[in-house]
Amino acid sequence: ANFSEQVVENFPSDISTGIYYGWARVGNGDVHKMVLSIGWNPFYKNVKKSVETHIIHSFKDDFYGEILSIVIIGYIRSEKTFSSLEALILAIQEDIEEAKRQLDLPEHLKLKEDNFFHLPEGKTVNH
Protein backbone atom coordinates (compact mmCIF):
# COMPACT_ATOMS: atom_id res chain seq x y z
CA ALA A 1 0.00 0.00 0.00
CA ASN A 2 1.56 3.27 -1.10
CA PHE A 3 0.84 6.59 0.54
CA SER A 4 0.05 9.56 -1.73
CA GLU A 5 2.70 12.17 -2.52
CA GLN A 6 0.90 14.60 -0.21
CA VAL A 7 1.13 12.17 2.73
CA VAL A 8 4.80 11.45 1.97
CA GLU A 9 5.59 15.18 1.88
CA ASN A 10 4.01 15.55 5.34
CA PHE A 11 6.06 12.77 6.94
CA PRO A 12 8.51 14.14 9.53
CA SER A 13 11.66 15.17 7.67
CA ASP A 14 13.94 13.72 10.34
CA ILE A 15 12.85 10.11 9.71
CA SER A 16 15.76 8.33 8.02
CA THR A 17 15.16 6.39 4.85
CA GLY A 18 15.16 2.64 5.25
CA ILE A 19 13.05 -0.34 6.21
CA TYR A 20 10.90 -0.27 9.36
CA TYR A 21 8.37 -2.52 11.06
CA GLY A 22 5.18 -1.82 12.94
CA TRP A 23 1.41 -2.15 12.93
CA ALA A 24 -1.13 -1.19 10.26
CA ARG A 25 -4.89 -0.95 10.03
CA VAL A 26 -6.96 -0.50 6.88
CA GLY A 27 -10.15 1.45 7.49
CA ASN A 28 -11.76 0.11 10.65
CA GLY A 29 -10.48 -3.44 10.09
CA ASP A 30 -8.12 -5.54 12.15
CA VAL A 31 -4.60 -4.42 13.08
CA HIS A 32 -1.87 -6.38 11.27
CA LYS A 33 1.92 -6.59 11.28
CA MET A 34 3.63 -4.55 8.58
CA VAL A 35 6.96 -3.66 7.02
CA LEU A 36 7.44 -0.09 5.80
CA SER A 37 9.89 1.24 3.22
CA ILE A 38 10.73 4.94 3.32
CA GLY A 39 12.94 6.31 0.57
CA TRP A 40 13.75 6.23 -3.11
CA ASN A 41 13.85 2.47 -3.75
CA PRO A 42 17.30 2.52 -5.39
CA PHE A 43 16.69 -0.76 -7.26
CA TYR A 44 13.90 0.98 -9.22
CA LYS A 45 15.75 4.34 -9.34
CA ASN A 46 12.72 6.32 -8.12
CA VAL A 47 13.02 10.08 -8.48
CA LYS A 48 10.46 10.81 -5.77
CA LYS A 49 10.59 9.68 -2.17
CA SER A 50 7.96 7.08 -1.39
CA VAL A 51 6.48 5.44 1.68
CA GLU A 52 5.31 1.91 0.93
CA THR A 53 3.56 -0.32 3.44
CA HIS A 54 3.62 -4.11 3.12
CA ILE A 55 0.87 -5.43 5.37
CA ILE A 56 1.64 -8.98 6.49
CA HIS A 57 -1.85 -10.29 5.78
CA SER A 58 -3.81 -11.57 2.78
CA PHE A 59 -6.83 -9.41 2.05
CA LYS A 60 -9.84 -10.77 0.15
CA ASP A 61 -10.50 -7.47 -1.61
CA ASP A 62 -8.61 -4.39 -2.79
CA PHE A 63 -8.64 -1.50 -0.36
CA TYR A 64 -7.90 1.47 -2.64
CA GLY A 65 -9.25 4.68 -1.16
CA GLU A 66 -9.37 3.36 2.41
CA ILE A 67 -7.62 5.15 5.27
CA LEU A 68 -4.37 3.39 6.20
CA SER A 69 -3.26 3.98 9.79
CA ILE A 70 0.26 2.91 10.78
CA VAL A 71 2.43 2.88 13.87
CA ILE A 72 6.16 2.62 13.19
CA ILE A 73 7.81 0.62 15.99
CA GLY A 74 11.38 -0.05 14.90
CA TYR A 75 14.09 0.06 12.26
CA ILE A 76 15.35 -2.98 10.33
CA ARG A 77 17.96 -1.69 7.86
CA SER A 78 19.00 1.11 5.54
CA GLU A 79 17.91 1.38 1.92
CA LYS A 80 20.19 -0.27 -0.61
CA THR A 81 20.19 -1.38 -4.19
CA PHE A 82 20.31 -5.00 -5.28
CA SER A 83 22.09 -6.85 -8.08
CA SER A 84 18.89 -8.59 -9.19
CA LEU A 85 15.17 -8.75 -8.62
CA GLU A 86 15.69 -12.12 -6.92
CA ALA A 87 18.08 -10.53 -4.39
CA LEU A 88 15.52 -7.78 -3.71
CA ILE A 89 12.76 -10.35 -3.17
CA LEU A 90 14.98 -12.33 -0.79
CA ALA A 91 15.75 -9.16 1.22
CA ILE A 92 12.04 -8.33 1.43
CA GLN A 93 11.30 -11.85 2.70
CA GLU A 94 14.04 -11.46 5.34
CA ASP A 95 12.61 -8.06 6.35
CA ILE A 96 9.17 -9.64 6.79
CA GLU A 97 10.58 -12.42 8.98
CA GLU A 98 12.48 -9.89 11.11
CA ALA A 99 9.33 -7.78 11.49
CA LYS A 100 7.32 -10.83 12.59
CA ARG A 101 9.97 -11.71 15.20
CA GLN A 102 10.14 -8.18 16.57
CA LEU A 103 6.39 -7.63 16.65
CA ASP A 104 5.86 -10.84 18.62
CA LEU A 105 7.86 -9.36 21.52
CA PRO A 106 5.54 -8.41 24.41
CA GLU A 107 6.57 -4.75 24.39
CA HIS A 108 5.68 -4.47 20.69
CA LEU A 109 2.62 -6.73 20.79
CA LYS A 110 0.90 -4.46 23.31
CA LEU A 111 1.07 -1.54 20.85
CA LYS A 112 -1.28 -3.46 18.55
CA GLU A 113 -4.02 -2.60 21.05
CA ASP A 114 -3.07 1.10 21.29
CA ASN A 115 -5.95 3.58 21.42
CA PHE A 116 -4.59 5.06 18.18
CA PHE A 117 -6.23 2.15 16.35
CA HIS A 118 -9.48 2.26 18.33
CA LEU A 119 -11.17 5.56 17.73
CA PRO A 120 -14.71 6.07 19.07
CA GLU A 121 -17.43 5.21 16.55
CA GLY A 122 -18.13 8.03 14.12
CA LYS A 123 -14.75 9.68 14.64
CA THR A 124 -12.16 9.76 11.87
CA VAL A 125 -8.68 11.17 11.99
CA ASN A 126 -6.32 11.60 9.06
CA HIS A 127 -2.74 10.63 9.86
Side-chain angles (χ1 to χ4, degrees):
N2 296 347
F3 283 107
S4 68
E5 283 184 36
Q6 181 183 5
V7 171
V8 174
E9 289 169 5
N10 285 309
F11 254 67
S13 59
D14 59 348
I15 292 182
S16 299
T17 60
I19 311 303
Y20 294 82
Y21 61 88
W23 298 104
R25 182 180 188 210
V26 176
N28 58 4
D30 294 334
V31 178
H32 299 285
K33 295 174 181 176
M34 66 91 175
V35 175
L36 184 79
S37 168
I38 300 175
W40 285 269
N41 297 325
F43 182 78
Y44 291 106
K45 299 176 174 53
N46 287 3
V47 294
K48 290 195 176 198
K49 190 176 190 179
S50 68
V51 178
E52 300 175 4
T53 308
H54 173 82
I55 302 171
I56 305 172
H57 177 75
S58 294
F59 290 90
K60 287 183 271 187
D61 301 306
D62 288 338
F63 49 85
Y64 291 102
E66 289 280 353
I67 292 175
L68 175 61
S69 303
I70 64 168
V71 172
I72 300 171
I73 308 289
Y75 183 79
I76 297 175
R77 63 174 175 84
S78 62
E79 259 195 316
K80 60 184 177 183
T81 192
F82 296 90
S83 57
S84 66
L85 182 57
E86 292 76 20
L88 171 61
I89 291 169
L90 181 62
I92 291 169
Q93 290 169 340
E94 291 171 355
D95 295 338
I96 290 169
E97 291 308 311
E98 178 64 13
K100 287 177 180 178
R101 280 191 296 274
Q102 292 294 328
L103 291 167
D104 281 339
L105 296 173
E107 64 268 27
H108 296 153
L109 203 53
K110 70 180 181 185
L111 293 170
K112 180 179 181 181
E113 304 303 325
D114 191 87
N115 286 338
F116 170 78
F117 289 119
H118 303 286
L119 295 170
E121 287 300 314
K123 302 272 185 185
T124 58
V125 178
N126 291 325
H127 293 280

